[in-house]
Amino acid sequence: LTQDDLKKIAAYKAVEHVKSGMVVGLGTGSTAKHAVDRISQLLSQGKLKNIVGVPTSTQTHEQAVSLGIPLSDLDSHPVVDLAIDGADEVDPALNLVKGRGGSLLREKMVESVAKKFIVIVDESKLVKHIGGSRLAMPVEVVQFCWSHSLKRLEELFAHAGCAAQLRKAADGAGGKKPYVTDNNNYIIDLYFEKEIGDLNRASDAVLRLPGIVDHGMFIGLATSVIIAGVDGVTIKTK
Ligand code: DER
Protein backbone atom coordinates (compact mmCIF):
# COMPACT_ATOMS: atom_id res chain seq x y z
CA LEU A 1 0.00 0.00 0.00
CA THR A 2 1.47 3.35 -1.01
CA GLN A 3 0.89 6.52 1.01
CA ASP A 4 -1.51 7.64 -1.70
CA ASP A 5 -3.44 4.35 -1.35
CA LEU A 6 -3.83 5.11 2.36
CA LYS A 7 -4.99 8.66 1.60
CA LYS A 8 -7.56 7.27 -0.83
CA ILE A 9 -8.81 4.70 1.72
CA ALA A 10 -9.30 7.40 4.35
CA ALA A 11 -11.00 9.70 1.85
CA TYR A 12 -13.43 7.06 0.59
CA LYS A 13 -14.29 6.11 4.17
CA ALA A 14 -15.12 9.73 4.97
CA VAL A 15 -17.37 10.06 1.94
CA GLU A 16 -19.56 7.28 3.38
CA HIS A 17 -20.76 10.01 5.77
CA VAL A 18 -21.99 12.22 2.91
CA LYS A 19 -25.78 11.99 2.56
CA SER A 20 -27.94 13.22 -0.33
CA GLY A 21 -29.01 16.82 0.07
CA MET A 22 -25.93 17.82 2.10
CA VAL A 23 -23.88 20.97 1.76
CA VAL A 24 -20.35 19.55 1.80
CA GLY A 25 -17.13 21.45 2.51
CA LEU A 26 -14.60 20.22 -0.07
CA GLY A 27 -11.07 20.20 1.31
CA THR A 28 -7.75 20.89 -0.40
CA GLY A 29 -4.67 18.73 -0.90
CA SER A 30 -3.75 15.27 -2.12
CA THR A 31 -5.97 13.46 0.40
CA ALA A 32 -9.05 15.66 0.00
CA LYS A 33 -8.68 15.30 -3.78
CA HIS A 34 -9.69 11.63 -3.44
CA ALA A 35 -12.77 12.61 -1.42
CA VAL A 36 -13.85 15.04 -4.14
CA ASP A 37 -13.30 12.36 -6.78
CA ARG A 38 -15.36 9.88 -4.76
CA ILE A 39 -18.25 12.30 -4.29
CA SER A 40 -18.41 12.92 -8.03
CA GLN A 41 -18.30 9.15 -8.65
CA LEU A 42 -21.29 8.55 -6.34
CA LEU A 43 -23.18 11.46 -7.91
CA SER A 44 -22.67 10.02 -11.40
CA GLN A 45 -23.78 6.57 -10.15
CA GLY A 46 -26.92 8.16 -8.71
CA LYS A 47 -25.93 6.94 -5.24
CA LEU A 48 -25.74 10.55 -4.05
CA LYS A 49 -28.13 13.32 -5.08
CA ASN A 50 -28.52 17.07 -4.52
CA ILE A 51 -25.06 17.68 -3.13
CA VAL A 52 -23.78 21.25 -2.98
CA GLY A 53 -20.00 21.55 -2.62
CA VAL A 54 -18.30 24.51 -0.92
CA PRO A 55 -14.67 24.41 -2.09
CA THR A 56 -11.78 25.52 0.18
CA SER A 57 -9.47 26.66 -2.63
CA THR A 58 -9.45 27.61 -6.30
CA GLN A 59 -7.63 24.32 -6.86
CA THR A 60 -10.52 22.32 -5.39
CA HIS A 61 -13.03 24.59 -7.10
CA GLU A 62 -11.44 23.73 -10.46
CA GLN A 63 -11.35 20.00 -9.66
CA ALA A 64 -15.02 20.02 -8.63
CA VAL A 65 -16.07 22.03 -11.71
CA SER A 66 -14.26 19.56 -13.97
CA LEU A 67 -16.10 16.72 -12.21
CA GLY A 68 -19.50 18.42 -12.49
CA ILE A 69 -20.10 18.78 -8.75
CA PRO A 70 -22.60 21.61 -8.13
CA LEU A 71 -20.81 24.34 -6.16
CA SER A 72 -21.72 27.25 -3.94
CA ASP A 73 -20.07 29.38 -1.27
CA LEU A 74 -20.48 30.51 2.32
CA ASP A 75 -22.41 33.63 1.30
CA SER A 76 -25.18 31.38 -0.04
CA HIS A 77 -24.61 28.51 2.40
CA PRO A 78 -23.37 29.92 5.74
CA VAL A 79 -23.69 26.49 7.36
CA VAL A 80 -22.00 23.39 6.01
CA ASP A 81 -23.39 19.97 6.96
CA LEU A 82 -20.12 18.11 6.61
CA ALA A 83 -16.59 19.19 5.74
CA ILE A 84 -13.94 16.68 4.69
CA ASP A 85 -10.30 17.73 4.53
CA GLY A 86 -6.76 16.55 5.04
CA ALA A 87 -4.24 17.84 7.54
CA ASP A 88 -0.50 18.10 7.97
CA GLU A 89 -0.51 17.11 11.63
CA VAL A 90 -3.15 15.71 14.00
CA ASP A 91 -2.64 15.56 17.77
CA PRO A 92 -4.49 13.22 20.17
CA ALA A 93 -7.10 15.91 20.90
CA LEU A 94 -7.77 16.29 17.15
CA ASN A 95 -6.09 19.69 16.96
CA LEU A 96 -4.53 20.15 13.54
CA VAL A 97 -1.85 21.86 11.63
CA LYS A 98 -3.08 22.70 8.16
CA GLY A 99 -2.02 24.99 5.39
CA ARG A 100 1.12 23.48 3.98
CA GLY A 101 -0.88 23.45 0.76
CA GLY A 102 -1.48 27.17 1.17
CA SER A 103 -5.27 27.07 1.60
CA LEU A 104 -5.58 27.50 5.35
CA LEU A 105 -7.78 30.63 5.33
CA ARG A 106 -10.62 29.34 3.15
CA GLU A 107 -10.32 25.91 4.81
CA LYS A 108 -10.68 27.42 8.26
CA MET A 109 -13.60 29.65 7.13
CA VAL A 110 -15.48 26.61 5.78
CA GLU A 111 -14.50 24.13 8.48
CA SER A 112 -15.32 26.50 11.32
CA VAL A 113 -18.99 26.58 10.22
CA ALA A 114 -19.31 22.88 9.50
CA LYS A 115 -21.67 20.87 11.70
CA LYS A 116 -19.24 17.99 11.28
CA PHE A 117 -15.61 18.17 10.14
CA ILE A 118 -14.00 14.86 9.29
CA VAL A 119 -10.23 14.99 8.89
CA ILE A 120 -8.72 12.37 6.60
CA VAL A 121 -5.11 11.38 7.02
CA ASP A 122 -2.64 8.60 6.50
CA GLU A 123 -0.97 7.58 9.74
CA SER A 124 2.17 9.62 9.01
CA LYS A 125 0.28 12.76 10.06
CA LEU A 126 -0.24 11.70 13.69
CA VAL A 127 1.84 13.70 16.21
CA LYS A 128 1.99 14.02 20.00
CA HIS A 129 1.95 17.82 19.91
CA ILE A 130 1.18 20.01 16.91
CA GLY A 131 3.94 22.43 15.94
CA GLY A 132 6.52 20.00 17.29
CA SER A 133 7.30 18.15 14.09
CA ARG A 134 9.84 20.71 12.89
CA LEU A 135 7.73 21.05 9.75
CA ALA A 136 6.13 24.32 8.76
CA MET A 137 3.40 26.03 10.75
CA PRO A 138 1.93 28.34 8.11
CA VAL A 139 0.72 31.88 8.86
CA GLU A 140 -1.13 33.89 6.20
CA VAL A 141 -0.11 37.57 6.26
CA VAL A 142 -0.90 40.64 4.18
CA GLN A 143 1.79 41.47 1.65
CA PHE A 144 2.34 44.94 3.11
CA CYS A 145 5.54 44.89 5.24
CA TRP A 146 5.59 41.09 5.39
CA SER A 147 9.17 41.16 6.62
CA HIS A 148 8.03 43.18 9.64
CA SER A 149 5.33 40.56 10.30
CA LEU A 150 7.93 37.82 9.96
CA LYS A 151 10.08 39.46 12.64
CA ARG A 152 7.13 39.95 14.99
CA LEU A 153 6.20 36.29 14.62
CA GLU A 154 9.76 35.18 15.39
CA GLU A 155 9.79 37.43 18.48
CA LEU A 156 6.43 36.09 19.60
CA PHE A 157 7.70 32.51 19.46
CA ALA A 158 11.27 33.14 20.55
CA HIS A 159 10.62 30.87 23.56
CA ALA A 160 10.03 27.98 21.17
CA GLY A 161 13.15 28.63 19.13
CA CYS A 162 11.20 29.89 16.16
CA ALA A 163 12.69 30.51 12.72
CA ALA A 164 10.39 31.99 10.08
CA GLN A 165 10.62 32.25 6.35
CA LEU A 166 8.53 33.66 3.53
CA ARG A 167 7.06 30.86 1.43
CA LYS A 168 8.32 30.99 -2.14
CA ALA A 169 7.04 29.60 -5.41
CA ALA A 170 8.69 29.01 -8.77
CA ASP A 171 8.54 32.10 -10.96
CA GLY A 172 8.49 30.04 -14.15
CA ALA A 173 11.89 31.34 -15.24
CA GLY A 174 14.00 29.13 -12.99
CA GLY A 175 13.85 31.59 -10.09
CA LYS A 176 11.65 32.05 -7.02
CA LYS A 177 8.98 34.56 -6.10
CA PRO A 178 6.78 34.91 -3.03
CA TYR A 179 3.94 32.37 -2.94
CA VAL A 180 0.61 34.20 -3.22
CA THR A 181 -2.52 32.62 -1.74
CA ASP A 182 -6.00 32.51 -3.32
CA ASN A 183 -6.71 35.59 -1.21
CA ASN A 184 -3.72 37.51 -2.58
CA ASN A 185 -1.76 37.24 0.67
CA TYR A 186 1.68 35.83 1.53
CA ILE A 187 2.50 32.89 3.76
CA ILE A 188 5.17 32.92 6.44
CA ASP A 189 6.19 29.45 7.55
CA LEU A 190 7.22 29.06 11.18
CA TYR A 191 9.66 26.34 12.28
CA PHE A 192 9.92 25.52 15.98
CA GLU A 193 12.70 23.83 17.92
CA LYS A 194 10.60 23.39 21.02
CA GLU A 195 6.91 22.92 21.75
CA ILE A 196 4.87 26.10 21.43
CA GLY A 197 2.92 25.43 24.62
CA ASP A 198 -0.74 26.36 25.05
CA LEU A 199 -2.29 26.40 21.59
CA ASN A 200 -5.12 28.81 22.37
CA ARG A 201 -2.70 31.33 23.86
CA ALA A 202 -0.44 30.97 20.83
CA SER A 203 -3.38 31.38 18.48
CA ASP A 204 -4.72 34.48 20.23
CA ALA A 205 -1.28 36.08 20.30
CA VAL A 206 -0.75 35.49 16.58
CA LEU A 207 -4.18 36.78 15.61
CA ARG A 208 -3.68 39.97 17.63
CA LEU A 209 -0.70 40.99 15.48
CA PRO A 210 -1.92 43.58 12.91
CA GLY A 211 -1.21 42.28 9.41
CA ILE A 212 -1.72 38.65 10.30
CA VAL A 213 -4.69 37.13 8.45
CA ASP A 214 -4.81 33.66 10.01
CA HIS A 215 -2.63 30.69 10.95
CA GLY A 216 -2.53 26.94 10.40
CA MET A 217 -3.51 25.81 13.90
CA PHE A 218 -7.04 24.35 13.72
CA ILE A 219 -7.90 24.08 17.39
CA GLY A 220 -11.02 22.18 18.37
CA LEU A 221 -12.54 22.28 14.86
CA ALA A 222 -12.33 18.65 13.80
CA THR A 223 -15.13 16.37 15.04
CA SER A 224 -13.61 13.13 13.73
CA VAL A 225 -10.41 11.90 12.20
CA ILE A 226 -10.16 8.93 9.87
CA ILE A 227 -6.69 7.42 9.95
CA ALA A 228 -5.59 5.00 7.25
CA GLY A 229 -2.62 2.89 8.28
CA VAL A 230 -0.94 -0.26 7.04
CA ASP A 231 -2.95 -2.19 9.67
CA GLY A 232 -6.29 -0.76 8.53
CA VAL A 233 -8.55 2.26 8.92
CA THR A 234 -9.61 3.71 12.26
CA ILE A 235 -11.96 6.57 13.05
CA LYS A 236 -11.56 8.69 16.17
CA THR A 237 -14.49 10.88 17.13
CA LYS A 238 -14.33 13.55 19.80
O1 DER B 1 -2.94 22.69 3.05
C1 DER B 1 -3.77 22.02 3.67
O2 DER B 1 -4.35 22.41 4.70
C2 DER B 1 -4.00 20.61 3.21
O3 DER B 1 -5.22 20.12 3.69
C3 DER B 1 -2.83 19.79 3.74
O4 DER B 1 -2.60 20.18 5.00
C4 DER B 1 -3.03 18.30 3.67
O5 DER B 1 -2.59 18.01 2.43
P1 DER B 1 -2.25 16.51 1.97
O6 DER B 1 -3.55 15.78 2.12
O7 DER B 1 -1.82 16.70 0.56
O8 DER B 1 -1.16 16.00 2.87
Side-chain angles (χ1 to χ4, degrees), residues 7 28-32 85-88 98-103 107 125:
K7 292 181 174 187
T28 298
S30 60
T31 313
D85 201 352
D88 298 300
K98 283 177 60 52
R100 282 188 204 132
S103 319
E107 290 173 338
K125 308 295 186 67

Side-chain angles (χ1 to χ4, degrees), residues 23 52 54 71-79:
V23 177
V52 172
V54 178
L71 297 177
S72 185
D73 61 23
L74 295 176
D75 287 342
S76 311
H77 291 88
V79 176

